[in-house]
């Protein structure tokens, strides 16, 4: 069973003030209004969240993750993973190595790591990010995602429904933040708020590792040109579930670099290429493995360069 979310790290998303427990399972704000109800270990918001407004372009995101996104098939695979990740053995091994490599950013450990938009924590390598922390605080719009995360993290976890653009977390309480494949699902004009929120909740000295997506990635284009010379495009195409139509918006690197951020940041890399590239060019055999070993070596040798010019950077935010 999950621990009760500790009120000292929570804040009311409506009033921005503290929350307190009223009885066994209701969290109220200072004005006495009930804001959260504890349902099977997850603090579920009492007021409708994102996705209710017909004009919100990211409605499709909440609809998918509230319903089938984190459902598992008979092999335990999530619908989200089947739709968006190349799960053939060679590609999946590479993806998992890339996740694992970023784990070195969390080696210092501490009391709390925030997993912002945790989903179901679909890879063990993501789960390992929390190994050196006393508690993993999982925040997600979707309650089914948090119930699934609870299956992985268990009683060391804290599970709170919430929106990254207005986190239900007190400022300066998190030792570290991990946020993977979430910000580009937020409406374009609110993504800046999400970056600022992740920085707000960090403790001084803390680090946030945010996996994002650049719309133009010259390194990936170069890789595609090389692959085109050697490989018949489409020859390696994997049978995947069709992508559910979902809102995505990728700001450019020049957009990111032109913002007046109050924080210091650097670029690292999650993956130079996307799943489309893996599906189209990477054979699920020794040739694919050899090619991906080369990519991994490049990412490890020049993470800053790859983070600026590859498709999926890891943006590292420091709170000084
Ligand atoms: C692509 S999944 C990523 C899950 C996990 N972080 C991973 O890397 O596998 C996106 C998750 O972000 C959540 N999400 C999307 N927009 C959000 C928002 N504005 N606030 C909080 N969670 C959000 C979704 O509900 C979903 O569980």
């Amino acid at each position: 069973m999950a621990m009760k979310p500790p009120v000292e790290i929570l804040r009311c998303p409506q009033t921005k003030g503290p929350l307190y427990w009223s009885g066994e399972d209701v969290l109220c704000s200072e004005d006495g209004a009930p804001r959260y109800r504890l349902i099977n270990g997850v603090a579920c918001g009492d007021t409708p969240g994102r996705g209710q407004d017909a004009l919100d372009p990211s409605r499709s995101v909440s609809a998918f993750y509230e319903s089938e996104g984190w459902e598992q098939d008979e092999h335990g695979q999530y619908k989200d993973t089947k739709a968006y990740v190349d799960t053939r053995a060679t590609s999946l091994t590479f993806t998992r190595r890339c996740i694992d490599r970023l784990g070195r950013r969390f080696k210092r450990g501490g009391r709390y790591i925030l997993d912002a938009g945790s989903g179901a924590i679909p890879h063990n390598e993501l789960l390992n990010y929390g190994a050196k922390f006393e508690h993993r605080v999982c925040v997600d719009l979707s309650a089914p995602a948090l119930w699934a995360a609870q299956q992985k993290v268990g009683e060391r976890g804290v599970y709170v429904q919430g929106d990254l653009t207005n986190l239900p977390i007190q400022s300066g309480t998190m030792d570290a933040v991990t946020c993977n494949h979430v910000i580009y699902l937020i409406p374009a004009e609110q993504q800046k708020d999400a970056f600022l929120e992740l920085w707000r909740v960090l403790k001084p000295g803390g680090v946030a590792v945010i996996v994002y997506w650049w719309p133009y990635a010259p390194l990936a284009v170069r890789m595609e040109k090389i692959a085109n010379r050697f490989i018949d495009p489409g020859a390696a195409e994997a049978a995947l579930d069709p992508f559910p139509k979902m809102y995505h918006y990728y700001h450019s690197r020049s957009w990111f670099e032109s913002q007046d951020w109050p924080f210091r940041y650097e670029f690292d890399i999650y993956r130079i290429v996307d799943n489309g590239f893996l599906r189209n060019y990477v054979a699920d055999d020794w040739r694919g493995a050899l090619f991906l070993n080369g990519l991994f070596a490049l990412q490890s040798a020049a993470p800053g360069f790859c983070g600026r010019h590859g498709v999926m950077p890891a943006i590292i935010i420091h709170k000084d």
Side-chain angles (χ1 to χ4, degrees):
M1 192 58 191
M3 67 190 273
K4 253 178 151 177
V7 285
E8 61 273 17
I9 63 164
L10 300 180
R11 88 170 193 181
C12 171
Q14 280 87 359
T15 65
K16 320 278 190 220
L19 290 163
Y20 68 90
W21 286 104
S22 165
E24 268 305 292
D25 55 5
V26 175
L27 276 165
C28 291
S29 54
E30 283 167 307
D31 55 9
R35 301 295 185 186
Y36 284 96
R37 198 166 296 273
L38 203 58
I39 303 176
N40 295 331
V42 172
C44 296
D46 247 33
T47 45
R50 181 181 289 283
Q52 311 300 314
D53 180 353
L55 296 176
D56 184 338
S58 68
R59 248 183 125 204
S60 51
V61 174
S62 17
F64 178 63
Y65 290 109
E66 277 294 340
S67 56
E68 56 190 343
W70 296 115
E71 275 173 11
Q72 287 171 293
D73 68 9
E74 65 277 19
H75 307 293
Q77 212 159 52
Y78 297 105
K79 181 125 191 169
D80 171 81
T81 309
K82 280 166 58 170
Y84 293 109
V85 180
D86 182 356
T87 52
R88 294 170 307 149
T90 308
S91 300
L92 195 56
T93 301
F94 172 62
T95 294
R96 290 185 167 159
R97 282 182 84 192
C98 294
I99 298 173
D100 190 52
R101 197 185 66 81
L102 289 172
R104 74 192 193 288
R105 299 279 181 179
F106 303 116
K107 288 283 181 271
R108 242 175 66 186
R111 190 157 168 75
Y112 293 111
I113 179 168
L114 170 67
D115 190 342
S118 66
I121 317 178
H123 305 283
N124 285 339
E125 292 75 9
L126 286 173
L127 195 60
N128 292 343
Y129 289 179
K132 294 252 167 77
F133 297 84
E134 286 171 44
H135 302 287
R136 187 182 195 115
V137 181
C138 299
V139 172
D140 200 291
L141 281 184
S142 146
L146 294 168
W147 284 312
Q150 196 182 13
Q151 299 298 314
K152 305 276 174 68
V153 185
E155 57 191 22
R156 280 174 59 218
V158 174
Y159 311 93
V160 187
Q161 210 174 9
D163 187 339
L164 258 66
T165 61
N166 181 17
L167 282 169
I169 304 287
Q170 284 287 0
S171 303
T173 53
M174 299 291 120
D175 296 278
V177 171
T178 170
C179 179
N180 303 289
H181 310 290
V182 187
I183 295 193
Y184 55 76
L185 304 177
I186 293 173
E189 64 285 358
Q190 292 172 38
Q191 292 186 16
K192 182 171 182 181
D193 296 339
F195 282 108
L196 290 171
E197 279 292 89
L198 297 178
W199 170 74
R200 176 182 68 75
V201 302
L202 273 180
K203 280 183 189 166
V207 67
V209 180
I210 302 168
V211 171
Y212 194 64
W213 193 306
W214 302 135
Y216 174 64
L219 206 48
V221 173
R222 182 71 44 98
M223 290 295 158
E224 202 152 348
K225 282 192 177 139
I226 296 171
N228 260 321
R229 282 170 158 253
F230 295 103
I231 305 170
D232 176 18
E237 196 146 350
L240 285 183
D241 274 18
F243 280 43
K245 264 200 173 355
M246 203 157 72
Y247 177 86
H248 288 80
Y249 189 91
Y250 311 124
H251 280 294
S252 64
R253 180 161 61 87
S254 57
W255 171 84
F256 186 84
E257 288 173 334
S258 67
Q259 304 302 306
D260 54 343
W261 301 117
F263 49 73
R264 183 168 62 84
Y265 65 85
E266 62 186 296
F267 295 122
D268 197 330
I269 184 71
Y270 164 55
R271 257 188 9 204
I272 295 174
V273 296
D274 63 10
N275 280 296
F277 181 96
L278 295 179
R279 280 196 306 269
N280 285 331
Y281 297 112
V282 176
D284 192 22
D285 59 21
W286 65 270
R287 292 165 303 168
L290 195 66
F291 177 76
L292 293 179
N293 280 344
L295 271 197
F296 190 79
L298 174 62
Q299 295 186 170
S300 307
F305 175 79
C306 293
R308 280 192 297 282
H309 303 292
V311 176
M312 285 185 249
I315 301 173
I316 314 295
I317 290 178
H318 299 276
K319 193 158 191 176
D320 294 323

